[in-house]
Each structure stands twice: as structure tokens, then as C-alpha cells.
């Protein structure tokens, strides 16, 4: 093996979605030599699929709205394992970050006063839960993610960010001191492998919904950042916490925004009953997503599901009227007609809870610095390594994310990472050294795939992995089932490592990428399985039939999965607020 | 069994492109063209195409489907199959990298040329810039573009002058900023478009409108730009 070509930057962002481009924008604006490595052209990133909006107390719908109420909702929504310091930072900084996006040109929908339009979303309240439903989600019709992603790409073009479009990051280059020095990446068009060296490496690689068979996530959401971090020996946090979105289109998995229920739509069972009134008498269809998803599954299990197989429920929108649907939810009309063959103007949409969001990820502090845990159980910053967006666990979502908070998370913490790295670069951080052996270590997985001479097809193994995760680690979980699931994953591990790549050509070889993505999917899935089996309680999205209660005595904490030992540890939740007393855990009802 | 004919070209192996025929069992279902490609790729992993969101919002999988440009993920077989045959080719007019993957460099270069970002150098207020619902409504039908290139690669003027004619997609975005009440660079933007090629190579044949998977109307936007150019010249 000869040496790889080397490229060098002040900062390298892996991932061209919302958080990555927001971080890159910050750094490019201040003139640092910044590159974005992205496996798809930036506007193809999964942020583009976000529909309903970005939640933030900009006091447009309600001039008396307060970011502190948003903070309260988010902490409650997280089932109290969201870090309160990070949530405070997000909700307080949010308005500034939103106004910046608007100044950049984001085409938000408007109120009569000319301000940004806000709609109600699940889990939102006024006055710390006492003042009824709030409307706090800033929207660009039901295409907010698209509008946001394009605006950020445009901002980066304006500021001359270097884009390595259609490049795939293979693995982290880590030196003898444990510092991250960059990544090895493939230029997909030519197949060339390059060492991309950087003073700061930011993982903004998004989620991994493709570990499940049924997901709202794009094909590209394969947990690449989590996989790379785990292979480098770094831990991940709360990775058992997966959000199942209540309304994925039955059969297709495509997302139907919570904004539908925010605008007045509601769920019905086969008897036409608005069943959420029974499960959440106050918030009804706008309870937390975990609560709504579980209620739907219970309706189906108890024989009140719709359709010939009784395996879904209906989302009713027709009572809202065609004009309103055309102006507020035009994208949903399109999606439903295309994928459900149902016209929401006239008939309900068949929906089912569908894997949507990874609350866990690479643990970071508020500045985006990635963390590991030392022998004494203390947080330790990983030199040169940062994460933001869905790949990170900062943690503002805890055990359950509120709708509209993912876009806010990615903007606020993409920005915060950028600001912090900016400061570090201005103070003069030096480039860490990597030896040839360090670089070659990052090539091991790729070399194995390139040299494979027999084994199974990546697509076949991927389907098997997705079925295991769907069957054993879904909306409801049970210890004995999960143990069986882990055994199946143990059996699958060797086969995944021995995946066979028949086509060894260099030019735009997507089979090679799929073999690499499979490794990342597997690592993410395995960490999920171990962490889910280990957390012996029910909290937020993690609902166990054998441990049905929340156990604050033992589990009011983050789980931390260590890839070396394949075991989980615990990390305390942050309860330090700068502006007030912390919110104490309460029973969570809607 | 459905006959599926796919354009194949791997520069490392093939001297020239060829059409490869596959037999595909639809099991009687009206699935999307992308589902067919995904299943064929399991059979033949060397088949290469782009895809991401699979719901028509990311713009990755623009291809030529039985003669018409469209997104594979939202084109059902019932719209694409003619005489039990499905023909899938790369979008026409741009260089092919491999199989259904084209080099979109020229397309993106035209997009970048129109300065696709808000220009407003007045000091920003502490909150958002206000915009009435009526002013905002002028952006509908413009901002939704997903840069899939179905329109520009269906346009003979773009085939002929890809380095000089902005093309329907780029012009739609040019108008998106011209139409935005918050943007203050109207004169500068028009001056950049004021030459015989950038806008005026559009002959209004509306291929772009016919193929746009988002139902947008670039020809109309181009008409607005023409009017603005003519008005600013008088």
C-alpha cells in the first residue's frame, strides 16, 4: 500500500445536511479553509424531507411566548433525561438562529402582520404546561426542511465553502494520543481514496433510520458517523432511544407531518373513533410522539386497526377543507396521492408508527466537542473531534424528541460547533500528527471489502439486519425477545464483516458504498440492541413490557455504550440551568 | 414479466454504452420505477443510479423513463410502461459518468451563476424582515425547485448551449430571488442576465413544464424575467 494523497483543511465537516452546512457556514464566513465532505450533493441530504417546521419561541403567533416555556416542554418531552443545560442553550439561542436563517432568505410562511407563521405541534404548551396548547413551530408551508436546506446551501455558496460533493468518509484517522486527525474518504466519481486532514473534524452525518425495515428516513441514513465513531473506539449515548413517528404512510413509510394534527387533523380507528381522547384527554392527538405511537399500536393490537389486515389507523384531514389543505399542507396532498393512493381532501390517510429519529448518538458538550468517559467515569473531550445534528447526542431530546425540535437542534448546535471551532482556530490550534500506520488503520475495513473473494451480498445482509431490528427492538420491547435479537445479531456480525463485493471497479461504484454503509448500520444496530436490553425501565420512546414503569432511582441517567467491551455504562444527566432552578422529574402526562 | 431495458456504461469496462434487458416480476403491483431499480440492483449490484429520499423531494433520481424525464421514485409503472416495456436512460444532454449517473457540473454551474442567495445589504432587524402573505405568495411555485435537472436536460436550448444558456431550472431560481420582496439586488441580477444567451435562448417550447416532477412552471418565470429585462432597458 502506497501513501494516500493528502488534503488539508482548518475544518472538515462530514455531512452536508442542515447541521453540517450550518457549521460550515459559520467557519466559511470567518474565512477559515473549510471543507464539507458529503456522500450526496448537499440538497439531497435528509434534512430536505423535514416537513412541518422548526420549533422556536420567536413570539410571532403569541407575542407573550417565552423560550422558557419551550424549554419546559422539551425537558418534559425528553422524559427528563435531556441535558437541561443544553436544552436551555437551544431554546434561548433559538430565536437568534431562526432570524439569521430568515435574513439569509429562508421563505417562511407569513402571518397577516408579516411575521413568520407558527403552527401548533405535539407536546407544546404555554406557561409551563398550565396555559394550554401553544403554536410555536415556524413553518415554510409543509416543506420547511427543503427551504432550510436550500437556504443553507445557498449561504455556503455565497461564502465559498469548499464542497467535496459525492465523497464518502470511510473511517476516522486517530493518532497515538487518541486525537482525531481527519478521515479517510473516497471520491465516489473516481474511486480515489484520500486522507483528508484537519485541525477540527465535525461529524454531521445524520441518523440511521435504515437499521429498521420500516422508516421515514432516506436510503442514505445509514449511521455512518456513529459507525465510524464506534470503530474508532468512541462511545455512543442513549442509542436505545429511537423515535417512531406516529404517521408514516402505511406500506411506503413516507412521513406525514405532525403539522397535519397541528392544523386540526386527527387519528381514527376502524370504528371511526378519535381514540387519542382516551389515551391523552388534554393534548389528544398532540401528545408526545412516543405516547401517540404507542396508543396507535395498542389500537391495532386490540383489533381496532383499519384495512383488511387491521394493521394501520387513519389520519383524517378532509374536514379541514380543500383550500386550507392546499395552502398549509400542499406537500402532504402530493405524498398521500402518490404513495397512499388516497386524496386527503376526500378520504383519510392510512398511517402507522414508523422509525423516524435517533435521539442517541455521539455524546457532546454544548460546544459540539465529542466526549468519551475516562476510567473514573468523568467526561473527557476527544481532541479534534466534534459532532452536531442527529449524529450527536448533546442531549436535547433525551428519551423522546418533540416535533420541530430536530431542525432547531441542527441549526443551533451546527452554529455552536462552528462558533467554538472558530474561537479555537483563532487562538491557534495546531494540526495533530498522524503516522502512516494511523492512516492505514483507517483503511482496514475498506481493504477487507476490496479484497473480498466470497461472502454474501450487502443488500441481503442489510434486509436481514432490518428485519431483526424491526421484530425485536420496535415500539414495544421485552427482555427475552431482545436477548434473542442480540443472539441473531451476534450471528450476523461475522457475515456482515465478510460481505462480498463482486464489482471492484472504481468509477461511481455504489455497491462498494453499500458494503461500507452496511458496516455502519450494523454497528449502530448492535449498540441499539445492547443498550435497549440493558435499560431495564420504560422511559420516553423506550417502552418495555417487562419493565413498564419509569425507574428514576436507577435510570434517571444516560446510557453509554462502549464498543470495546460491548457493554453499557451510565452517565449523569445535566441538571444545571444558568437562568433558574432545574426542572425536577415529574410524572409525564398529556 | 415486465421487460426492462436499462442504459449501461462503465467507463472502466465498456468501450461504448449499450442497453441491457432484464425480466422483472412486478407481482401485479403498481410500484415505482425506483423500486424496480432497487430490486434489479440486488440481482446485479454493478447497476448504478443515484437515490436518496425516495419520496420526490431530494431530486437525486432524475432519469429518462420511457422517453420522458422524471423522478424514478414517484413515477409509478402505470405511467411509465408502454407495451409491457420500461426503458430507463440517463437524463439526456449531459455527460454520463456511469450507467444512469450523469455529470451535473454544467447544470450546477448555471445555478451558481445566477447568485442563488439573498442579497440585502441593509442592516438586518433584530427580528425577521417582515413580508406580507401576498409578497410571500409570489415565491410559491419557485422556491420548491429540487434541482433534479429534469427540466434543463429536456430543453434543446440547454443541450445546444449548456455553458451560455442558464436553463429553465437556473432561471426559475433567478426569478425566485427577483420576486422576493426582501432581496434588493434586482438591478444587479438583471444586468447579469442581460445578454443574448442567458435568458433569450428560451424559445418557450415548454418541455420544462411538461416534465417538472414538482409541477412548477419555469417558462412562466422566464417570461417574467424577459418582461423585467425589457422594462429595465426602456
Amino acid at each position: 500500500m502506497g501513501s494516500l494523497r493528502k488534503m488539508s483543511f482548518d475544518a472538515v465537516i462530514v455531512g452536508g445536511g442542515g447541521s453540517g452546512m450550518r457549521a460550515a457556514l459559520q467557519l466559511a464566513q470567518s474565512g477559515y479553509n473549510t471543507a464539507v465532505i458529503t456522500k450526496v450533493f448537499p440538497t439531497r441530504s435528509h434534512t430536505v424531507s423535514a416537513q412541518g417546521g422548526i420549533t422556536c419561541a420567536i413570539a410571532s403567533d403569541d407575542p407573550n411566548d417565552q423560550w422558557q416555556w419551550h424549554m419546559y416542554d422539551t425537558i418534559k418531552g425528553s422524559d427528563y433525561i435531556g441535558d437541561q443545560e443544553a436544552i436551555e442553550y437551544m431554546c434561548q439561542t433559538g430565536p437568534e438562529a431562526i432570524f439569521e436563517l430568515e435574513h439569509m432568505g429562508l421563505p417562511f410562511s407569513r402571518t397577516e402582520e408579516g411575521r413568520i407563521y407558527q403552527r401548533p405541534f405535539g407536546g407544546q404548551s404555554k406557561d409551563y404546561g398550565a396555559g394550554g396548547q401553544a403554536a410555536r413551530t415556524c413553518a415554510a408551508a409543509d416543506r420547511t426542511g427543503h427551504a432550510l436546506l436550500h437556504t443553507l446551501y445557498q449561504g455556503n455558496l455565497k461564502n465559498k465553502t469548499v464542497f467535496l460533493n459525492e465523497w464518502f468518509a470511510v473511517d476516522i484517522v486517530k493518532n497515538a494520543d487518541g486525537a482525531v486527525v481527519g478521515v479517510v474518504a473516497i471520491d465516489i466519481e473516481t474511486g480515489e481514496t484520500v486522507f483528508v486532514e484537519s485541525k477540527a473534524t465535525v461529524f454531521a452525518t445524520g441518523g440511521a433510520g435504515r437499521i429498521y425495515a420500516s422508516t421515514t428516513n432516506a436510503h442514505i441514513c445509514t449511521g455512518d458517523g456513529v459507525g465510524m465513531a464506534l470503530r474508532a473506539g468512541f462511545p455512543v449515548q442513549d442509542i436505545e432511544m429511537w423515535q417512531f413517528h406516529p404517521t408514516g404512510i402505511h406500506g411506503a413509510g413516507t412521513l406525514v407531518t405532525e403539522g397535519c394534527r397541528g392544523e386540526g387533523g386527527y387519528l381514527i380507528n376502524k370504528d371511526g373513533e378519535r381514540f387519542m381522547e382516551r389515551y391523552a384527554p388534554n393534548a389528544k392527538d398532540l401528545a408526545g410522539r412516543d405516547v401517540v405511537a404507542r396508543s396507535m399500536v395498542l389500537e391495532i393490537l386490540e383489533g381496532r386497526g383499519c384495512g383488511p389486515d387491521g394493521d394501520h389507523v387513519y389520519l383524517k384531514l378532509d374536514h379541514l377543507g380543500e383550500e386550507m389543505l392546499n395552502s398549509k399542507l400542499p406537500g402532504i396532498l402530493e405524498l398521500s396521492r402518490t404513495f397512499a393512493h388516497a386524496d386527503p381532501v376526500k378520504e383519510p390517510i392510512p398511517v402507522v408508527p414508523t422509525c423516524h429519529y435517533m435521539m442517541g448518538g455521539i455524546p457532546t458538550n454544548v460546544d459540539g466537542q465529542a466526549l468519551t468517559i475516562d476510567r473514573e467515569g468523568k467526561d473527557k473531550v476527544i481532541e479534534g473531534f466534534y459532532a452536531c445534528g442527529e449524529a450527536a447526542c448533546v442531549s436535547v431530546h433525551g428519551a423522546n424528541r418533540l416535533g420541530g425540535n430536530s431542525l432547531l437542534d441542527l441549526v443551533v448546535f451546527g452554529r455552536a460547533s462552528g462558533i467554538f471551532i472558530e474561537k479555537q482556530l483563532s487562538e491557534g490550534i495546531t494540526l495533530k500528527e498522524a503516522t502512516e500506520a494511523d492512516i492505514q488503520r483507517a483503511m482496514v475495513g475498506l481493504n477487507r471489502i476490496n479484497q473480498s473473494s466470497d461472502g454474501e451480498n450487502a443488500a441481503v445482509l442489510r434486509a436481514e439486519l432490518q428485519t431483526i431490528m424491526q421484530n425485536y427492538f420496535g415500539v414495544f420491547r421485552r427482555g427475552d425477545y431482545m436477548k434473542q435479537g442480540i443472539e441473531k445479531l451476534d450471528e450476523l456480525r461475522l457475515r456482515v464483516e465478510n460481505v462480498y463485493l463482486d464489482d471492484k471497479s472504481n468509477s461511481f461504484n455504489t455497491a462498494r458504498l453499500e458494503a461500507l454503509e452496511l458496516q455502519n448500520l450494523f454497528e449502530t444496530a448492535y449498540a441499539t440492541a445492547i443498550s435497549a436490553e440493558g435499560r431495564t425501565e420504560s422511559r420516553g420512546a423506550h417502552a418495555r413490557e417487562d419493565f413498564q414503569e419509569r425507574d428514576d432511582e436507577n435510570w434517571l441517567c444516560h446510557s453509554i455504550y462502549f464498543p470495546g467491551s460491548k457493554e453499557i455504562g451510565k452517565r449523569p444527566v445535566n441538571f444545571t440551568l444558568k437562568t433558574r432552578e432545574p426542572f425536577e422529574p415529574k410524572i409525564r402526562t398529556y | 414479466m415486465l421487460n426492462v431495458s436499462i442504459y449501461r456504461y462503465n467507463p472502466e469496462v465498456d468501450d461504448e454504452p449499450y442497453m441491457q434487458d432484464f425480466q422483472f416480476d412486478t407481482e401485479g403491483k403498481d410500484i415505482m420505477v425506483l423500486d424496480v431499480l432497487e430490486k434489479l440492483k440486488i440481482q446485479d449490484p454493478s447497476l448504478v443510479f443515484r437515490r436518496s429520499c425516495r419520496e420526490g423531494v431530494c431530486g437525486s433520481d432524475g432519469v429518462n423513463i420511457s422517453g420522458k424525464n422524471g423522478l424514478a421514485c414517484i413515477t409509478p409503472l402505470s405511467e411509465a410502461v408502454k407495451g409491457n416495456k420500461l426503458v430507463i436512460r440517463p437524463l439526456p444532454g449531459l455527460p454520463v459518468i456511469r450507467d444512469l449517473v450523469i455529470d451535473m457540473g454544467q447544470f450546477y454551474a448555471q445555478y451558481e451563476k445566477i447568485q442563488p442567495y439573498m442579497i440585502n445589504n441593509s442592516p438586518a432587524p433584530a427580528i425577521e424582515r417582515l413580508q406580507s402573505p401576498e409578497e410571500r405568495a409570489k415565491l410559491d411555485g419557485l422556491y420548491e425547485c429540487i434541482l433534479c435537472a429534469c427540466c434543463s436536460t429536456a430543453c434543446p436550448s440547454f443541450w445546444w448551449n449548456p455553458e451560455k444558456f442558464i436553463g429553465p431550472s437556473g432561471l426559475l431560481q433567478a426569478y425566485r430571488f427577483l420576486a422576493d420582496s426582501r432581496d434588493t439586488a434586482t438591478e444587479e441580477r438583471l444586468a447579469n442576465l442581460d445578454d443574448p444567451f442567458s435568458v433569450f435562448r428560451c424559445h418557450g417550447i415548454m418541455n420544462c413544464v411538461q416534465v417538472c416532477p414538482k409541477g412548477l412552471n419555469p417558462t412562466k418565470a422566464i417570461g417574467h424575467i424577459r418582461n423585467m429585462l425589457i422594462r429595465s432597458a426602456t
Side-chain angles (χ1 to χ4, degrees):
Chain A
M1 280 312 284
S3 295
L4 301 179
R5 177 160 73 96
K6 188 165 88 176
M7 294 168 83
S8 198
F9 296 94
D10 290 327
V12 161
I13 322 289
V14 183
S19 67
M21 287 210 287
R22 185 60 190 83
L25 178 65
Q26 194 68 37
L27 290 157
Q29 274 172 342
S30 38
Y32 288 106
N33 185 18
T34 308
V36 175
I37 295 176
T38 172
K39 66 179 178 175
V40 292
F41 182 78
T43 62
R44 326 288 182 212
S45 305
H46 187 53
T47 303
V48 82
S49 291
Q51 298 172 351
I54 176 164
T55 304
C56 188
I58 59 161
S60 164
D61 180 80
D62 172 5
N64 299 315
D65 198 14
Q66 293 181 19
W67 66 264
Q68 288 89 344
W69 301 344
H70 180 200
M71 168 169 69
Y72 164 82
D73 290 344
T74 303
I75 290 168
K76 176 184 172 187
S78 80
D79 223 346
Y80 299 96
I81 61 162
D83 284 330
Q84 299 201 1
E85 176 196 26
I87 294 170
E88 180 184 49
Y89 178 81
M90 177 176 80
C91 297
Q92 188 173 20
T93 319
E96 199 181 329
I98 300 287
F99 295 139
E100 282 170 2
L101 289 170
E102 195 282 333
H103 298 155
M104 253 182 263
L106 201 155
F108 282 111
S109 301
R110 298 289 167 156
T111 65
E112 285 305 321
E113 293 74 37
R115 295 208 59 194
I116 293 171
Y117 170 73
Q118 294 184 292
R119 60 163 53 110
F121 249 53
Q124 285 176 3
S125 76
K126 298 182 183 184
D127 196 16
Y128 308 102
Q133 177 74 41
R136 194 174 287 132
T137 301
C138 309
D142 55 358
R143 303 187 182 97
T144 316
H146 169 278
L148 171 75
L149 190 66
H150 281 251
T151 302
L152 284 173
Y153 180 59
Q154 292 161 354
N156 275 284
L157 284 180
K158 191 176 183 178
N159 287 284
K160 312 263 184 283
T161 304
V162 176
F163 281 98
L164 299 174
N165 289 335
E166 298 186 320
W167 281 50
F168 184 92
V170 173
D171 258 317
I172 291 172
V173 177
K174 188 170 92 166
N175 72 9
D177 304 328
V180 171
V181 194
V183 292
V184 163
I186 301 175
D187 174 354
I188 299 173
E189 183 176 336
T190 63
E192 189 193 6
T193 310
V194 178
F195 169 38
V196 185
E197 175 188 68
S198 177
K199 293 175 189 166
T201 302
V202 184
F203 271 21
T205 47
R210 288 276 156 182
I211 67 170
Y212 286 94
S214 171
T215 176
T216 64
N217 284 193
H219 285 290
I220 58 170
C221 301
T222 53
D224 299 335
V226 167
M228 284 188 274
L230 289 169
R231 277 196 299 281
F234 301 135
V236 291
Q237 176 170 283
D238 295 337
I239 197 76
E240 68 276 23
M241 298 300 180
W242 283 86
Q243 177 162 84
F244 287 78
H245 195 290
T247 55
I249 292 179
H250 174 247
T254 33
L255 173 68
V256 177
T257 175
E258 186 169 298
C260 290
R261 283 170 283 137
E263 299 287 355
Y266 55 85
L267 297 163
I268 53 175
N269 60 21
K270 73 168 184 188
D271 304 320
E273 183 204 6
R274 185 176 182 179
F275 59 84
M276 280 313 298
E277 290 178 335
R278 269 190 279 120
Y279 295 95
N282 297 314
K284 302 188 179 92
D285 296 81
L286 289 177
R289 285 181 176 174
D290 55 334
V291 175
V292 179
R294 275 194 294 278
S295 308
M296 293 167 69
V297 172
L298 287 174
E299 286 299 296
I300 291 166
L301 290 175
E302 287 167 12
R304 291 187 294 276
C306 307
D309 299 323
D311 58 354
H312 56 271
V313 301
Y314 283 134
L315 173 64
K316 186 173 148 51
L317 296 176
D318 58 309
H319 58 285
L320 299 176
E322 187 165 3
E323 196 185 330
M324 195 273 209
L325 293 174
N326 276 328
S327 71
K328 295 288 172 22
L329 300 164
I332 292 306
L333 299 184
E334 246 179 79
L335 283 173
S336 178
R337 287 164 186 156
T338 307
F339 288 102
H341 306 293
D343 182 355
V345 172
K346 299 187 198 114
E347 55 200 326
I349 312 173
V351 290
V352 72
T354 305
C355 172
H356 184 57
Y357 189 85
M358 176 175 87
M359 268 80 72
I362 299 165
T364 71
N365 60 24
V366 172
D367 295 320
Q369 291 182 291
L371 305 172
T372 185
I373 311 297
D374 69 12
R375 288 217 174 86
E376 284 81 48
K378 293 239 164 57
D379 290 356
K380 186 173 163 239
V381 165
I382 303 169
E383 287 294 312
F385 192 33
Y386 306 79
C388 53
E390 190 170 345
C393 182
V394 55
S395 125
V396 287
H397 310 304
N400 171 63
R401 175 172 73 73
L402 293 187
N405 268 355
S406 65
L407 293 185
L408 187 65
D409 169 10
L410 63 82
V411 172
V412 166
F413 291 103
R415 181 178 179 271
S417 306
I419 291 171
F420 184 76
I421 295 167
E422 217 170 31
K423 181 166 156 274
Q424 285 200 312
L425 288 169
S426 71
E427 287 165 3
I429 36 171
T430 47
L431 197 60
K432 311 277 185 308
E433 296 289 322
T435 63
E436 186 58 29
D438 297 331
I439 300 166
Q440 285 306 323
R441 219 170 307 122
M443 291 286 291
V444 169
L446 177 61
N447 289 339
R448 191 172 54 215
I449 287 168
N450 284 341
Q451 286 151 17
S452 62
S453 54
D454 60 1
E456 292 161 273
N457 184 329
V460 173
L461 295 166
R462 185 176 61 215
E464 210 168 306
L465 174 69
Q466 291 166 337
T467 305
I468 295 171
M469 294 308 292
Q470 194 78 30
N471 291 345
Y472 296 93
F473 303 94
V475 175
F476 284 103
R477 297 166 172 182
R478 217 171 90 181
D480 51 347
Y481 280 6
M482 287 195 282
K483 285 206 176 78
Q484 285 176 33
I486 291 169
E487 276 173 32
K488 286 179 187 292
L489 290 175
D490 282 326
E491 183 265 339
L492 191 60
R493 178 180 284 276
L494 259 181
R495 294 163 59 206
V496 166
E497 284 173 0
N498 289 323
V499 61
Y500 177 50
L501 179 70
D502 176 47
D503 172 13
K504 308 278 202 300
S505 64
N506 289 314
S507 172
F508 223 102
N509 186 337
T510 53
R512 177 177 289 126
L513 304 187
E514 289 188 23
L516 291 165
E517 287 172 336
L518 174 68
Q519 313 299 319
N520 297 329
L521 284 168
F522 185 85
E523 293 300 341
T524 312
Y526 197 84
T528 300
I530 298 291
S531 307
E533 199 274 328
R535 188 182 276 274
T536 49
E537 65 157 354
S538 288
R539 181 185 299 272
H542 180 62
R544 287 188 63 149
E545 290 172 36
D546 47 353
F547 295 92
Q548 297 190 1
E549 300 299 318
R550 192 172 85 188
D551 178 2
D552 284 348
E553 204 171 307
N554 295 300
W555 286 105
L556 185 64
C557 61
H558 299 296
S559 72
I560 290 274
Y561 169 81
F562 296 96
S565 60
K566 299 188 174 59
E567 285 170 356
I568 63 166
K570 295 178 177 180
R571 178 171 173 252
V573 170
N574 178 295
F575 282 95
T576 340
L577 291 173
K578 289 203 174 84
T579 55
R580 56 162 285 156
E581 293 298 299
F583 293 91
E584 294 301 328
K586 286 196 291 199
I587 300 294
R588 187 167 157 257
T589 55
Y590 284 100
Chain B
M1 296 293 267
L2 177 69
N3 297 314
V4 185
S5 179
I6 301 181
Y7 179 101
R8 301 298 306 266
Y9 174 66
N10 179 346
E12 289 167 64
V13 182
D14 304 317
D15 293 330
E16 55 185 39
Y18 62 98
M19 297 302 290
Q20 185 180 4
D21 291 327
F22 296 88
Q23 292 292 305
F24 185 86
D25 185 1
T26 63
E27 297 168 13
K29 289 185 201 150
D30 187 18
I31 56 176
M32 300 296 173
V33 172
L34 180 62
D35 299 328
V36 174
L37 287 172
E38 289 285 350
K39 288 202 170 120
L40 288 175
K41 189 171 172 69
I42 297 174
Q43 216 175 295
D44 177 1
S46 75
L47 174 64
V48 173
F49 50 90
R50 292 187 175 108
R51 88 281 183 268
S52 175
C53 76
R54 60 82 168 89
E55 57 191 27
V57 296
C58 80
S60 297
D61 62 348
V63 284
N64 184 275
I65 304 164
S66 300
K68 187 180 171 189
N69 292 353
L71 299 180
C73 61
I74 54 168
T75 305
L77 291 180
S78 54
E79 282 174 21
V81 173
K82 289 169 191 163
N84 199 41
K85 189 164 185 181
L86 173 67
V87 184
I88 311 173
R89 294 170 174 273
L91 290 176
L94 289 173
V96 173
I97 294 174
R98 177 174 174 177
D99 294 349
L100 302 173
V101 172
I102 54 166
D103 179 351
M104 296 176 74
Q106 195 66 257
F107 172 80
Y108 295 136
Q110 293 298 357
Y111 173 68
E112 289 177 32
K113 222 192 255 182
I114 62 104
Q115 299 180 287
Y117 37 78
M118 177 74 65
I119 301 176
N120 184 333
N121 295 325
S122 66
I127 58 166
E128 67 270 45
R129 290 195 161 94
L130 300 183
Q131 184 174 48
S132 71
E134 294 71 31
E135 287 168 333
R136 169 60 184 76
K138 291 187 178 148
L139 308 183
D140 285 336
L142 305 173
Y143 83 96
E144 301 93 324
C145 173
I146 57 174
L147 302 178
C148 65
C150 284
C151 61
S152 293
T153 62
C155 174
S157 291
F158 187 75
W159 297 340
W160 203 242
N161 289 300
E163 67 296 322
K164 291 183 188 160
F165 175 50
I166 302 287
S169 171
L171 289 171
L172 187 80
Q173 290 315 294
Y175 187 61
R176 176 248 172 277
F177 289 98
L178 286 167
D180 196 319
S181 60
R182 302 168 294 172
D183 190 276
T184 56
T186 305
E187 278 176 35
E188 180 189 338
R189 290 182 188 281
L190 288 175
N192 287 341
L193 295 169
D194 196 6
D195 62 68
F197 284 91
S198 295
V199 178
F200 290 100
R201 286 287 132 169
C202 170
H203 299 302
I205 62 167
M206 299 181 82
N207 279 12
C208 53
V209 181
Q210 203 205 348
V211 297
C212 177
K214 306 309 288 182
L216 309 178
N217 190 332
T219 307
K220 194 169 152 196
I222 294 168
H224 288 307
I225 299 175
R226 279 171 188 267
N227 289 342
M228 291 175 90
L229 282 168
I230 291 162
R231 266 202 308 271
S232 70
T234 53

